[in-house]
Amino acid sequence: MEPSAPDPGSRSRLQGYLVGRSTVLIALLLLGSVFQAQKGGFALPFAWFFAGTAAAFGFTLVSALALRRRQPGTLAPVLQPAWDVAYATVLVYLSGGVFSPFASLYPLAIIGAAILLSRRGALLVAAASSLAYGVLSDLQFYGLVTPLNPFPLPETEGTKLLVQLAFNIGAFFAVALLSGYLAEEVRRTGEKLEAAEAEVLNVEHLKDSILHCLGSGLVALDGAGCELFHNQAAEAQLRRAGLTLVPGMDCSELFALDRPGERREKSLRDGEVILGYSTSPLLDRDGTWRGDILIFQDLTEVKRLEHDLQRADRLAAVGRLAAGLAHEIRNPLASLSGSVEVLRESAEPDPESSALFQIVLRETQRLNRLVTNFLHYARPESADRQILSLHELVAETGFFFSQGVEASRFRLVNEVPPDLCLSADRGQLEQLLFNLFRNSVEAAPQGVTVTVAAREQPDGWTEVWVRDDGPGMSEETQRRAFEPFFSGRDGGTGLGLATVHRVVENLEGTISLRASPGEGAEFRVRIPGLADAGQSGRAGESDG
């Protein structure tokens, strides 16, 4: 099995260990060079010294390259102090044996072992150092080896040798215990620090996740109103408004920051996007003001829903008035119209009186039509769905409509596919087309061409387009076109398009309008297809 890569802590310790070893080797090379220059010549001990030091540098270089390439097999921490003990023993032998000044390298190897292997490793290296140093001293004492001696050293005597050996070995284990203890403390402190760092990172990640998952835009600002931090929602909402939120952006030019806690609104892109926002002070741990927290939400859809709700309230009020108007106005109108007809037939009025009778009858019929449209709008009948050929329905409705206007003022272009069928209430669909035709003709007294097209959509719905080449509408008229009692021309009742909208709603569809001055108007109606309408009808039956 491949050995696993060392953890970041051991890599850091090993890296520091190699740097320390390189520093010691460089210092030894400098000392050796200075001493050799003072002695003159190139004695044999110095040749072995430089060779051993070069080998130590080579081992350090190999370890460093393996550490950089993440090859843990060549980085066993035990090999590092073992090599140092061997190198120190070679230097001790080259510099006089038991009395060599390089015996001080053993404690450095022990400290290194404590760094890499903790207390147990330091004790093991201290024992290995004591064994190597003791064996070399015994061999030297009994004359089995003769260490090279470039330094003036005392004679090897039993008492001095024993004292020197005991002192050094005691120093080895003392260094091992002290460095091991310190290494353990450093290790425990490092583990606590790593745990604290991990906890801080987790809290930081949690905070970032919470802020970025907020549906509201959040921007932290400095004292000058410039961006310090923002979440994804803030960037997305401003992007919809055509703005790019960049680090350091001055937000005080876009939002008013002078009244913290107050709820405000900001209209962007000529009212297409509406943001509701508020600010709160940004304080540090000492309670010192450092800036502001700006929180905002996209209220565009909310405002549209408010507008629809207000419109629904008006519709509800209209519905409550409808029954009263029907009884209070329609019945007297029928009596009045009948009475005028009787008077006109029973008498022989003069031309002036006959004209007055005609005016009364015409205006009575107009008022009756207004009440009828009002009732259709306020209290639409429930849809009696049936399968219809839309092409035939458009042709028939256009024919009947053209009988009530001058033929030259209305021209119908039927582009509906002959095989297109849909499920709808025939009377309501005729009323919808009739009102749209009338709206086009009344908007263009000089004459108009109305084109009706339709197509089945992939989602199963049927889309119907009713376009004309009339004068079009202003932006204000287009925005309020479906409101009851609003008319863009003099003499209009304001109920034609409102009734169309109500019929489309009753058919569970949607309608939209696109018009510009001088470019005509286009109404787009979406009605559920055969399958969707059948499911809707069955759901309504089950609810009943």
Side-chain angles (χ1 to χ4, degrees):
M1 187 173 76
E2 247 182 70
S4 59
D7 61 86
S10 62
R11 284 178 57 85
S12 177
R13 290 193 296 271
L14 185 55
Q15 185 178 12
Y17 182 82
L18 294 177
V19 171
R21 176 195 285 166
S22 301
T23 303
V24 172
L25 292 176
I26 292 174
L28 290 176
L29 283 175
L30 292 176
L31 290 175
S33 300
V34 170
F35 190 80
Q36 180 190 359
Q38 291 178 351
K39 296 284 290 184
F42 195 79
L44 181 60
F46 286 105
W48 284 107
F49 167 75
F50 286 117
T53 304
F57 260 117
F59 184 75
T60 303
L61 181 62
V62 170
S63 299
L65 291 176
L67 179 66
R68 184 174 182 179
R69 295 177 181 177
R70 298 178 178 269
Q71 297 177 354
T74 60
L75 292 176
V78 176
L79 294 179
Q80 306 298 326
W83 169 264
D84 291 339
V85 171
Y87 174 68
T89 303
V90 170
L91 288 189
V92 168
Y93 171 76
L94 293 176
S95 56
V98 65
F99 295 106
S100 169
F102 289 108
S104 59
L105 293 178
Y106 286 116
L108 296 180
I110 295 170
I111 293 173
I115 295 174
L116 293 179
L117 305 172
S118 192
R119 181 183 300 175
R120 181 176 298 180
L123 291 174
L124 287 176
V125 173
S129 300
S130 301
L131 179 63
Y133 184 68
V135 169
L136 181 61
S137 300
D138 287 342
L139 293 177
Q140 180 182 356
F141 178 75
Y142 289 109
L144 298 178
V145 296
T146 304
L148 302 178
N149 186 6
F151 303 105
L153 299 174
E155 295 294 330
T156 305
E157 299 179 0
T159 303
K160 290 183 178 180
L161 178 63
L162 183 61
V163 172
Q164 184 73 20
L165 187 62
F167 178 80
N168 285 339
I169 291 177
F172 294 164
F173 280 97
V175 170
L177 291 174
L178 180 60
S179 61
Y181 171 77
L182 294 177
E184 288 290 340
E185 289 297 318
V186 170
R187 187 183 302 273
R188 281 194 291 268
T189 303
E191 290 175 353
K192 292 180 181 179
L193 181 60
E194 289 178 0
E197 289 178 350
E199 184 66 22
V200 170
L201 290 177
N202 288 336
V203 173
E204 186 75 14
H205 177 72
L206 179 62
K207 181 263 296 181
D208 290 341
S209 298
I210 292 174
L211 292 179
H212 285 298
C213 290
L214 284 177
S216 301
L218 185 146
V219 183
L221 308 173
D222 61 15
C226 297
E227 185 270 353
L228 296 173
F229 167 86
H230 67 271
N231 63 355
Q232 296 175 353
E235 187 174 353
Q237 292 180 22
L238 289 181
R239 188 185 302 117
R240 285 196 292 270
L243 299 174
T244 301
L245 184 57
V246 296
M249 174 180 174
D250 186 1
C251 296
S252 61
E253 299 179 356
L254 186 62
F255 299 98
L257 309 176
D258 54 340
R259 285 181 281 182
E262 182 177 336
R263 187 69 179 176
R264 299 184 179 184
E265 293 182 1
K266 179 69 175 181
S267 179
L268 302 172
R269 295 186 64 176
D270 297 329
E272 292 184 12
V273 178
I274 300 176
L275 299 180
Y277 70 96
S278 62
T279 59
S280 300
L282 177 62
L283 308 177
D284 61 13
R285 291 189 346 182
D286 300 329
T288 304
W289 179 79
R290 297 297 183 185
D292 296 288
I293 296 291
L294 172 66
I295 300 177
F296 54 87
Q297 300 86 25
D298 189 346
L299 301 182
T300 307
E301 184 66 16
V302 174
K303 291 297 182 182
R304 186 188 67 79
L305 292 176
E306 287 181 357
H307 181 277
D308 291 345
L309 182 59
Q310 292 172 359
R311 181 172 173 273
D313 289 340
R314 290 195 296 269
L315 295 182
V318 168
R320 288 191 296 268
L321 291 174
L325 284 173
H327 289 288
E328 298 297 329
I329 298 178
R330 201 173 190 185
N331 292 337
L333 279 178
S335 302
L336 180 60
S337 178
S339 300
V340 172
E341 287 284 358
V342 171
L343 287 175
R344 187 175 66 171
E345 293 177 358
S346 61
E348 294 182 0
D350 53 59
E352 183 178 353
S353 298
S354 179
L356 293 176
F357 278 124
Q358 189 64 33
I359 292 173
V360 171
L361 289 175
R362 185 181 68 243
E363 293 303 316
T364 302
Q365 292 173 359
R366 179 173 174 271
L367 188 56
N368 184 65
R369 186 173 65 250
L370 172 61
V371 174
T372 301
N373 288 339
F374 177 79
L375 291 175
H376 286 160
Y377 170 75
R379 299 172 59 183
E381 298 176 355
S382 59
D384 181 16
R385 294 183 180 275
Q386 54 182 303
I387 306 302
L388 303 173
S389 170
L390 185 59
H391 180 87
E392 295 180 1
L393 182 66
V394 171
E396 292 176 4
T397 305
F399 174 77
F400 289 128
F401 178 79
S402 63
Q403 305 307 308
V405 298
E406 296 179 10
S408 60
R409 293 181 56 200
F410 176 75
R411 177 174 177 267
L412 176 64
V413 178
N414 189 351
E415 296 181 354
V416 178
D419 59 345
L420 179 60
C421 296
L422 52 81
S423 176
D425 184 285
R426 184 181 186 90
Q428 292 186 6
L429 205 54
E430 287 177 346
Q431 183 184 17
L432 182 148
L433 293 172
F434 204 87
N435 283 0
L436 290 179
F437 294 164
R438 178 184 295 165
N439 183 78
S440 298
V441 170
E442 291 179 353
Q446 72 281 4
V448 67
T449 298
V450 178
T451 303
V452 181
R455 182 174 64 242
E456 291 185 2
Q457 299 299 314
D459 57 5
W461 286 52
T462 300
E463 288 195 0
V464 182
W465 292 270
V466 180
R467 296 185 292 267
D468 65 45
D469 58 358
M473 300 181 186
S474 65
E475 183 177 347
E476 174 68 13
T477 302
Q478 181 179 346
R479 186 174 63 85
R480 302 181 57 188
F482 297 113
E483 292 185 8
F485 305 111
F486 174 80
S487 177
R489 59 184 179 275
D490 296 336
T493 62
L495 288 173
L497 293 183
T499 302
V500 168
H501 190 277
R502 193 63 180 270
V503 169
V504 172
E505 287 183 340
N506 202 42
L507 292 173
E508 300 178 0
T510 61
I511 185 171
S512 60
L513 168 62
R514 185 177 62 184
S516 299
E519 298 182 3
E522 177 184 273
F523 294 87
R524 178 187 178 190
V525 180
R526 279 175 53 87
I527 303 175
L530 295 177
D532 294 327
Q535 293 174 1
S536 176
R538 287 192 295 272
E541 292 171 4
S542 63
D543 292 341

